[in-house]
Amino acid sequence: MSNPWARWLAVHDTALFQMSRKAGWDAFVNAAPRPDFPTLTLAEMADLSPEEAEDYGEARVVWNTNPPTVRTQQLVSAYQVIDEVMASNRRDADKLRGSVVIDAEPYLGKTTIATRYARDFHRRIYRRYGHTTAEGNQRLPVAFVPLNEGITLKGLNQKLLEFYGHPAARRGSRTELTALAIDCVASCDTRLIVIDELHFVDFAGRHGTEVSNHLKGLANELPVTFIYVGVGLRERRFFDEGLHGDQAVLAQTSRRATRCPVVPFSTSTDAGARAWATLLATLEPHYKLARARPGMLTDHADLLHKRTQGRIGSLATLLERACARAITTGTEVLDADVLSSVRIDNAAEHLSQST
Ligand SMILES: Nc1ncnc2c1ncn2[C@@H]1O[C@H](COP(=O)(O)OP(=O)(O)OP(=O)(O)O)[C@@H](O)[C@H]1O
Ligand SMILES: [Mg+2]
C-alpha cells in the first residue's frame, strides 16, 4: 500500500518539461505550485517504516530543492524595466519596438527573471484573449529560445521553429527558414520572444554579425518584444554589434535596446544587508527539517554571504545541498557546521576562499 509521500511524489516529482518547446513551455506556464505537506517531528519520523522513511526523505528533497521564486529587489526592478519597454511596445505595428537586455554575470537569476516575467505575461494574454487567435490558430504569446554554443543564423531560425514544433525546422534554406519563423510568430500572435544564453553568439565574428542583423530584421518585421538574456553582453559587444571606434555609434542595437543589469546582494550597506537578511528570512520557512528553527539562516547571514558572494544561484545550491546533508546525517537543521562544509559551485568556492 502506498504512503502519502509516494502518492505526493507520483504527481509532484521533479518536473521534466522542456521549456524550449511549446508543449514544455505550456507545462511550465500552467504548473500549479506543489502542495505543501506536514513536516514530521523526530518522534513521528522514528515511527516510519523503512519504505515510508525513504519516500518521506525523497519527497522532502524534491520540496527543499524547489523553493518559491522570491520577489527580490533585483527581480522587482528588472520587471519594472521590462514593463516600461513593453508599455512603449503598444505602439502600432508600423513603428519600431524596443528590446530588453538582461545582462549580468553568471548565476544571478537572469533566466529566472525572464522566464517568470514571460510566464506572467503568457497567463495574462490567455486570460484576456483566450487560447485561439482571431484566425483560429493556437495562440502562443511567448516563445522561449535558449541558444547554444556557436549558434548561426540558420541555427537560430531552427531553434525558433522547433519551439513552434514546425516540421521544416530541420530542412530548408536560410531564407526559407527565416520566412517560416516569421510566419510562425505572426500566425500564433506571439508578442514576446525570450532569447536566453545570448553570450553564445560571437558578435565580433561573421556569424555574430549575421545573427545580430537578423535579430534586428525580425524586430523590424514583427510586432514582438525581445528579451535577450546573457552573460557579459556589453563586454561581448552585443550593443555595438561588434563595430569598432567611430563605427560603434552607428550600432542600432545600442539605441533600440534597454539594458537591465542584475547585481549580486551586497552587505556593505545597511540597505544591502537588510535585503540579504530578508531574502534569507523569506527562504527559511520553506525548508522541511525536523529541527528547523526560525533564525537558522538569518543567524548565519554573514557566513552565507561570504560563501556565495551574495549570488542567489549559489545560495540556492548551497541550501539545497545543506538540506540534503541535514536529512542524510540526521542533524535535521541548518547550522554553521553544515552551511560552511557543503561544497557548492566552483566559482563561489574559489572566491569565498580568496576573501
Ligand atoms: N528570485 C529568485 N528566488 C528564488 N530562487 C532564485 C531566484 N532567482 C534565482 N534563483 C535560484 O538561482 C538559480 C539560478 O538562477 P538562474 O538560472 O535564473 O540564473 P542565471 O543568471 O540565468 O544563471 P546562468 O548565468 O547560469 O544562466 C535558480 O535555479 C534558482 O534556484
Ligand atoms: Mg541563465
Side-chain angles (χ1 to χ4, degrees):
M1 185 58 195
S2 76
N3 58 59
W5 307 288
R7 287 197 294 276
W8 186 90
L9 282 166
V11 188
H12 305 293
D13 204 348
T14 309
L16 301 172
F17 38 69
Q18 200 177 358
M19 284 159 68
S20 60
R21 299 283 189 282
K22 64 179 178 184
W25 175 261
D26 198 60
F28 164 70
V29 167
N30 294 309
R34 287 187 170 80
D36 200 351
F37 56 90
T39 308
L40 303 185
T41 62
L42 289 172
E44 288 165 335
M45 282 170 62
D47 281 345
L48 299 178
S49 71
E51 286 84 18
E52 286 171 335
E54 194 179 290
D55 293 343
Y56 175 58
E58 179 63 22
R60 281 201 293 165
V61 172
V62 172
W63 176 267
N64 290 340
T65 308
N66 292 286
T69 303
V70 180
R71 284 184 64 79
T72 58
Q73 186 51 48
Q74 288 85 336
L75 182 134
V76 170
S77 48
Y79 268 35
Q80 218 163 27
V81 174
I82 308 172
D83 271 339
E84 284 164 14
V85 173
M86 296 282 286
S88 50
N89 286 356
R90 303 227 173 61
R91 291 168 182 169
D92 287 331
D94 57 329
K95 304 188 195 75
L96 193 67
R97 286 162 165 66
S99 56
V100 184
V101 184
I102 304 181
D103 179 16
E105 290 169 24
Y107 234 30
L108 293 176
K110 300 181 297 297
T111 302
T112 303
I113 289 169
T115 51
R116 296 322 184 264
Y117 187 96
R119 174 167 72 179
D120 295 348
F121 177 77
H122 182 123
R123 286 180 179 159
R124 212 157 47 236
I125 295 290
Y126 262 28
R127 178 181 59 69
R128 198 174 297 147
Y129 302 114
H131 294 215
T132 318
T133 67
E135 288 76 37
N137 299 318
Q138 179 184 16
R139 187 190 299 283
L140 293 168
V142 172
F144 178 67
V145 185
L147 303 184
N148 45 19
E149 184 144 23
I151 188 87
T152 60
L153 174 51
K154 189 167 181 181
L156 175 68
N157 282 326
Q158 281 172 334
K159 290 239 162 221
L160 197 56
L161 288 173
E162 277 170 10
F163 180 87
Y164 289 93
H166 198 290
R170 292 271 142 226
R171 304 188 301 273
S173 69
R174 255 171 42 169
T175 9
E176 281 162 1
L177 292 179
T178 304
L180 288 173
I182 289 176
D183 198 43
C184 280
V185 173
S187 59
C188 298
D189 228 341
T190 302
R191 308 275 185 89
L192 182 66
I193 299 184
V194 180
I195 306 222
D196 199 1
E197 316 269 9
L198 193 65
H199 47 264
F200 282 132
V201 179
D202 168 17
F203 292 102
R206 183 171 66 85
H207 287 322
T209 312
E210 275 178 8
V211 168
S212 153
N213 285 335
H214 181 59
L215 290 173
K216 276 192 293 180
L218 288 179
N220 286 343
E221 195 119 1
L222 297 164
V224 166
T225 303
F226 281 86
I227 300 183
Y228 301 114
V229 185
V231 175
L233 295 177
R234 185 156 56 189
E235 295 73 15
R236 282 172 220 267
R237 322 267 307 277
F238 168 66
F239 293 95
D240 53 21
E241 298 168 12
L243 298 172
H244 286 278
D246 292 348
Q247 291 287 306
V249 297
L250 300 175
Q252 290 171 308
T253 305
S254 195
R255 297 278 161 205
R256 294 179 185 173
T258 306
R259 184 171 179 270
C260 174
V262 184
V263 293
F265 286 84
S266 154
T267 48
S268 57
T269 61
D270 283 350
R274 268 200 307 279
W276 180 245
T278 306
L279 170 67
L280 298 179
T282 313
L283 289 172
E284 211 171 69
H286 175 78
Y287 297 104
K288 286 191 185 300
L289 296 170
R291 288 201 185 93
R293 60 169 185 86
M296 77 178 170
L297 294 184
T298 44
D299 288 354
H300 302 294
D302 290 342
L303 163 71
L304 287 168
H305 191 271
K306 180 161 187 283
R307 289 218 66 197
T308 61
Q309 298 88 45
R311 281 164 197 268
I312 197 159
S314 302
L315 178 72
T317 311
L318 192 160
L319 295 179
E320 76 193 31
R321 296 197 184 162
C323 280
R325 190 180 287 186
I327 290 173
T328 13
T329 58
T331 58
E332 293 287 336
V333 70
L334 300 181
D335 54 18
D337 225 18
V338 67
L339 293 176
S340 51
S341 64
V342 281
R343 310 265 316 157
I344 49 171
D345 59 283
N346 189 54
E349 287 286 352
H350 185 71
L351 287 165
S352 71
Q353 274 152 26
S354 61
T355 51

Coordinates of all heavy atoms in Angstrom, one line a residue, residues 246-305:
D246 N 34.6 54.8 -34.1 CA 33.6 55.7 -34.6 C 32.4 54.9 -35.1 O 31.2 55.4 -35.1 CB 34.1 56.6 -35.7 CG 35.1 57.5 -35.2 OD1 35.3 57.6 -34.0 OD2 35.8 58.2 -36.0
Q247 N 32.7 53.8 -35.7 CA 31.6 52.9 -36.3 C 30.6 52.5 -35.2 O 29.4 52.4 -35.5 CB 32.2 51.7 -36.9 CG 33.0 51.9 -38.1 CD 32.1 52.3 -39.3 OE1 31.2 51.5 -39.6 NE2 32.4 53.4 -39.9
A248 N 31.1 52.4 -34.0 CA 30.2 51.8 -32.9 C 29.0 52.7 -32.7 O 27.9 52.2 -32.3 CB 31.0 51.6 -31.7
V249 N 29.1 54.0 -32.9 CA 28.0 54.9 -32.7 C 26.8 54.6 -33.7 O 25.7 55.0 -33.5 CB 28.3 56.4 -32.7 CG1 29.3 56.7 -31.7 CG2 28.8 56.8 -34.1
L250 N 27.2 53.9 -34.8 CA 26.2 53.6 -35.8 C 25.4 52.4 -35.4 O 24.4 52.0 -36.1 CB 26.8 53.3 -37.1 CG 27.6 54.5 -37.7 CD1 28.3 54.1 -39.0 CD2 26.7 55.7 -37.9
A251 N 25.8 51.7 -34.3 CA 25.1 50.5 -34.0 C 23.7 50.7 -33.5 O 23.5 51.5 -32.6 CB 25.9 49.7 -32.9
Q252 N 22.7 50.2 -34.2 CA 21.3 50.5 -33.9 C 20.9 49.8 -32.6 O 20.1 50.3 -31.9 CB 20.5 50.0 -35.1 CG 20.6 50.8 -36.3 CD 19.9 50.2 -37.4 OE1 20.1 49.0 -37.7 NE2 19.0 50.9 -38.1
T253 N 21.5 48.6 -32.4 CA 21.1 47.8 -31.2 C 21.2 48.7 -29.9 O 20.3 48.7 -29.0 CB 22.0 46.6 -31.0 OG1 21.9 45.9 -32.2 CG2 21.5 45.7 -29.9
S254 N 22.3 49.5 -29.9 CA 22.5 50.3 -28.7 C 21.4 51.3 -28.5 O 21.1 51.6 -27.3 CB 23.8 51.0 -29.0 OG 24.3 51.6 -27.8
R255 N 20.8 51.8 -29.5 CA 19.7 52.7 -29.4 C 18.4 52.0 -29.1 O 17.5 52.6 -28.5 CB 19.5 53.5 -30.7 CG 20.7 54.3 -31.1 CD 20.7 55.6 -30.4 NE 22.0 56.2 -30.4 CZ 22.4 57.1 -29.5 NH1 21.7 57.4 -28.5 NH2 23.6 57.5 -29.6
R256 N 18.2 50.8 -29.6 CA 16.9 50.2 -29.5 C 16.8 49.3 -28.3 O 15.7 49.0 -27.9 CB 16.7 49.3 -30.7 CG 16.6 50.2 -32.0 CD 16.4 49.3 -33.2 NE 16.4 50.1 -34.4 CZ 16.4 49.6 -35.6 NH1 16.4 48.3 -35.8 NH2 16.4 50.4 -36.6
A257 N 17.9 49.0 -27.7 CA 17.8 48.0 -26.6 C 18.0 48.8 -25.2 O 18.7 49.7 -25.1 CB 18.9 47.0 -26.7
T258 N 17.3 48.3 -24.2 CA 17.4 48.8 -22.9 C 18.1 47.8 -22.0 O 17.6 46.7 -21.9 CB 16.0 49.2 -22.3 OG1 15.3 50.0 -23.2 CG2 16.1 49.8 -20.9
R259 N 19.2 48.2 -21.5 CA 20.0 47.2 -20.7 C 19.5 47.1 -19.3 O 19.2 48.1 -18.6 CB 21.5 47.6 -20.7 CG 22.4 46.6 -20.0 CD 23.8 46.9 -20.2 NE 24.7 46.0 -19.6 CZ 25.1 46.1 -18.3 NH1 24.8 47.2 -17.6 NH2 25.9 45.2 -17.8
C260 N 19.3 45.9 -18.8 CA 18.8 45.7 -17.5 C 19.8 44.9 -16.7 O 19.9 43.7 -16.9 CB 17.5 45.0 -17.6 SG 16.7 44.5 -16.1
P261 N 20.6 45.5 -15.9 CA 21.6 44.8 -15.1 C 21.0 44.0 -13.9 O 20.0 44.4 -13.5 CB 22.6 45.8 -14.6 CG 21.8 47.1 -14.6 CD 20.6 46.9 -15.5
V262 N 21.6 42.9 -13.5 CA 21.2 42.2 -12.3 C 22.4 42.1 -11.4 O 23.5 41.6 -11.8 CB 20.7 40.8 -12.6 CG1 20.1 40.2 -11.3 CG2 19.6 40.9 -13.7
V263 N 22.3 42.6 -10.2 CA 23.5 42.7 -9.3 C 23.4 41.6 -8.2 O 22.3 41.3 -7.8 CB 23.7 44.1 -8.7 CG1 24.1 45.1 -9.8 CG2 22.5 44.5 -7.9
P264 N 24.6 41.2 -7.7 CA 24.5 40.3 -6.5 C 24.1 41.1 -5.3 O 24.1 42.3 -5.3 CB 26.0 39.9 -6.4 CG 26.8 40.5 -7.5 CD 25.9 41.5 -8.2
F265 N 23.7 40.4 -4.2 CA 23.4 41.1 -3.0 C 24.7 41.6 -2.4 O 25.7 40.8 -2.4 CB 22.7 40.1 -2.0 CG 21.3 39.9 -2.4 CD1 21.0 38.9 -3.3 CD2 20.3 40.6 -1.8 CE1 19.7 38.6 -3.6 CE2 18.9 40.3 -2.1 CZ 18.7 39.3 -3.1
S266 N 24.7 42.8 -1.9 CA 25.9 43.3 -1.2 C 25.5 43.6 0.2 O 24.5 44.1 0.5 CB 26.4 44.6 -1.9 OG 27.1 45.4 -1.0
T267 N 26.4 43.2 1.1 CA 26.1 43.5 2.5 C 26.9 44.7 3.1 O 27.0 44.9 4.3 CB 26.4 42.3 3.4 OG1 27.6 41.8 3.1 CG2 25.3 41.2 3.2
S268 N 27.5 45.4 2.1 CA 28.4 46.5 2.6 C 27.6 47.8 3.0 O 28.1 48.7 3.6 CB 29.4 46.9 1.6 OG 28.8 47.2 0.4
T269 N 26.3 47.9 2.6 CA 25.5 49.0 3.1 C 24.4 48.4 4.0 O 24.1 47.2 3.9 CB 24.8 49.7 2.0 OG1 23.9 48.7 1.3 CG2 25.8 50.3 1.0
D270 N 23.7 49.2 4.8 CA 22.7 48.8 5.7 C 21.5 48.2 4.9 O 21.0 47.2 5.2 CB 22.1 49.9 6.6 CG 23.1 50.2 7.7 OD1 24.0 49.3 7.9 OD2 22.9 51.2 8.4
A271 N 21.2 49.0 3.8 CA 20.0 48.6 3.0 C 20.4 47.2 2.3 O 19.5 46.3 2.3 CB 19.8 49.6 1.9
G272 N 21.6 47.0 1.9 CA 22.0 45.8 1.2 C 21.9 44.6 2.2 O 21.4 43.5 1.9
A273 N 22.4 44.9 3.4 CA 22.4 43.8 4.5 C 21.0 43.4 4.8 O 20.7 42.2 5.0 CB 23.2 44.3 5.7
R274 N 20.1 44.4 4.8 CA 18.7 44.2 5.1 C 18.1 43.3 4.0 O 17.3 42.4 4.3 CB 17.9 45.5 5.3 CG 17.8 46.0 6.7 CD 16.7 47.0 6.9 NE 16.7 48.1 6.0 CZ 17.5 49.1 6.1 NH1 18.3 49.3 7.2 NH2 17.5 50.1 5.2
A275 N 18.4 43.7 2.8 CA 17.8 42.9 1.6 C 18.3 41.5 1.7 O 17.5 40.5 1.4 CB 18.2 43.6 0.3
W276 N 19.5 41.2 2.0 CA 20.1 39.9 2.1 C 19.4 39.1 3.3 O 18.9 38.0 3.1 CB 21.6 39.9 2.4 CG 22.3 38.6 2.5 CD1 22.9 38.1 3.6 CD2 22.5 37.6 1.4 NE1 23.5 36.9 3.3 CE2 23.2 36.6 2.0 CE3 22.1 37.5 0.1 CZ2 23.6 35.4 1.3 CZ3 22.4 36.4 -0.6 CH2 23.2 35.4 0.0
A277 N 19.2 39.8 4.4 CA 18.5 39.2 5.6 C 17.1 38.8 5.2 O 16.6 37.8 5.6 CB 18.6 40.1 6.8
T278 N 16.5 39.7 4.5 CA 15.1 39.5 4.1 C 14.9 38.3 3.2 O 14.0 37.5 3.3 CB 14.5 40.7 3.4 OG1 14.7 41.9 4.2 CG2 13.0 40.6 3.1
L279 N 15.9 38.2 2.2 CA 15.9 37.0 1.3 C 16.0 35.7 2.2 O 15.2 34.8 2.0 CB 17.1 37.1 0.3 CG 17.3 35.9 -0.5 CD1 16.2 35.6 -1.5 CD2 18.6 36.0 -1.3
L280 N 16.9 35.7 3.1 CA 17.1 34.5 3.9 C 15.9 34.2 4.8 O 15.5 33.1 4.9 CB 18.4 34.7 4.8 CG 19.7 34.9 4.1 CD1 20.8 35.1 5.1 CD2 20.0 33.7 3.2
A281 N 15.3 35.3 5.3 CA 14.1 35.1 6.1 C 12.9 34.6 5.3 O 12.1 33.8 5.8 CB 13.7 36.4 6.8
T282 N 12.9 35.0 4.0 CA 11.8 34.5 3.2 C 12.0 33.0 2.8 O 11.0 32.3 2.7 CB 11.8 35.4 1.9 OG1 11.9 36.7 2.2 CG2 10.5 35.1 1.1
L283 N 13.2 32.7 2.6 CA 13.5 31.3 2.3 C 13.4 30.3 3.5 O 13.0 29.2 3.3 CB 14.9 31.1 1.6 CG 15.1 31.8 0.2 CD1 16.5 31.7 -0.2 CD2 14.2 31.0 -0.8
E284 N 13.8 30.8 4.6 CA 13.9 30.0 5.8 C 12.7 29.0 6.1 O 12.9 27.8 6.3 CB 14.1 30.9 7.0 CG 14.9 30.4 8.1 CD 15.2 31.5 9.1 OE1 14.3 31.9 9.8 OE2 16.4 31.9 9.2
P285 N 11.5 29.5 6.1 CA 10.4 28.6 6.4 C 10.1 27.6 5.4 O 9.3 26.6 5.6 CB 9.2 29.6 6.5 CG 9.6 30.9 6.1 CD 11.0 30.9 5.8
H286 N 10.7 27.7 4.2 CA 10.4 26.7 3.1 C 11.0 25.3 3.5 O 10.4 24.3 3.2 CB 11.1 27.2 1.8 CG 10.9 26.2 0.7 ND1 9.7 26.0 0.0 CD2 11.8 25.3 0.2 CE1 9.9 25.0 -0.8 NE2 11.1 24.6 -0.7
Y287 N 12.1 25.3 4.2 CA 12.8 24.0 4.3 C 12.2 23.1 5.3 O 12.0 23.5 6.5 CB 14.3 24.3 4.5 CG 14.9 25.1 3.4 CD1 15.2 26.4 3.4 CD2 15.1 24.4 2.1 CE1 15.6 27.1 2.3 CE2 15.6 25.1 1.0 CZ 15.8 26.4 1.1 OH 16.3 27.1 0.0
K288 N 12.0 21.8 4.9 CA 11.4 20.8 5.8 C 12.5 20.0 6.5 O 13.0 19.1 5.9 CB 10.6 19.9 4.9 CG 9.3 20.5 4.4 CD 8.4 19.4 3.8 CE 7.2 20.1 3.3 NZ 6.4 20.9 4.3
L289 N 12.7 20.4 7.7 CA 13.7 19.7 8.5 C 13.1 19.6 9.9 O 12.5 20.6 10.4 CB 15.0 20.4 8.6 CG 15.8 20.5 7.2 CD1 17.0 21.5 7.4 CD2 16.3 19.2 6.7
A290 N 13.3 18.4 10.6 CA 12.6 18.2 11.9 C 13.0 19.2 12.9 O 12.2 19.6 13.8 CB 12.8 16.8 12.3
R291 N 14.3 19.7 12.9 CA 14.7 20.6 13.9 C 14.9 22.0 13.3 O 15.5 22.9 14.0 CB 16.1 20.2 14.4 CG 16.1 18.9 15.3 CD 17.3 18.9 16.2 NE 17.4 17.7 17.0 CZ 18.1 16.6 16.6 NH1 18.7 16.6 15.4 NH2 18.1 15.6 17.4
A292 N 14.2 22.3 12.2 CA 14.3 23.6 11.6 C 13.8 24.7 12.7 O 12.9 24.4 13.4 CB 13.4 23.7 10.4
R293 N 14.5 25.8 12.7 CA 14.0 26.8 13.7 C 14.2 28.2 13.0 O 15.0 28.4 12.1 CB 14.9 26.8 14.9 CG 16.4 27.0 14.6 CD 17.2 27.2 15.8 NE 18.6 27.5 15.4 CZ 19.0 28.8 15.1 NH1 18.2 29.8 15.3 NH2 20.2 29.0 14.7
P294 N 13.3 29.1 13.4 CA 13.4 30.5 12.9 C 14.8 31.0 13.2 O 15.3 30.8 14.3 CB 12.3 31.3 13.7 CG 11.4 30.2 14.2 CD 12.2 29.0 14.4
G295 N 15.4 31.6 12.3 CA 16.8 32.2 12.5 C 17.9 31.2 12.0 O 19.0 31.6 12.1
M296 N 17.5 30.0 11.6 CA 18.6 29.1 11.2 C 19.3 29.6 10.0 O 20.5 29.2 9.8 CB 18.0 27.7 11.0 CG 17.3 27.4 9.8 SD 16.8 25.6 9.7 CE 15.8 25.7 8.2
L297 N 18.8 30.5 9.2 CA 19.5 31.1 8.1 C 19.9 32.5 8.4 O 21.1 32.8 8.2 CB 18.7 31.1 6.8 CG 18.4 29.7 6.2 CD1 17.6 29.9 4.9 CD2 19.6 28.9 6.0
T298 N 19.0 33.3 9.0 CA 19.3 34.7 9.2 C 20.5 34.8 10.2 O 21.3 35.7 10.1 CB 18.1 35.5 9.7 OG1 17.4 34.7 10.7 CG2 17.2 35.8 8.5
D299 N 20.6 33.9 11.2 CA 21.7 34.0 12.1 C 23.1 33.8 11.4 O 24.1 34.1 12.0 CB 21.6 32.8 13.2 CG 20.4 33.1 14.2 OD1 19.9 34.2 14.1 OD2 20.1 32.3 15.0
H300 N 23.0 33.2 10.2 CA 24.3 32.9 9.5 C 24.4 33.8 8.3 O 25.1 33.4 7.3 CB 24.4 31.4 9.2 CG 24.3 30.6 10.4 ND1 25.2 30.5 11.4 CD2 23.3 29.7 10.8 CE1 24.9 29.7 12.3 NE2 23.7 29.2 12.0
A301 N 23.8 35.0 8.3 CA 23.8 35.8 7.1 C 25.2 36.1 6.6 O 25.4 36.0 5.4 CB 23.0 37.1 7.4
D302 N 26.1 36.4 7.5 CA 27.5 36.8 7.0 C 28.2 35.6 6.4 O 28.8 35.7 5.4 CB 28.3 37.3 8.2 CG 27.8 38.7 8.6 OD1 27.1 39.3 7.8 OD2 28.1 39.1 9.8
L303 N 28.1 34.4 7.1 CA 28.7 33.2 6.6 C 28.1 32.9 5.2 O 28.9 32.6 4.3 CB 28.4 32.1 7.6 CG 28.6 30.6 7.1 CD1 30.1 30.3 6.9 CD2 27.9 29.6 8.0
L304 N 26.8 33.0 5.1 CA 26.2 32.6 3.8 C 26.6 33.6 2.7 O 26.8 33.3 1.5 CB 24.7 32.6 3.9 CG 24.2 31.4 4.7 CD1 22.7 31.6 5.0 CD2 24.3 30.1 3.9
H305 N 26.7 34.9 3.1 CA 27.2 35.9 2.1 C 28.6 35.6 1.6 O 28.9 35.7 0.4 CB 27.0 37.3 2.6 CG 27.1 38.3 1.5 ND1 28.4 38.9 1.2 CD2 26.2 38.8 0.7 CE1 28.2 39.7 0.2 NE2 26.9 39.7 -0.2

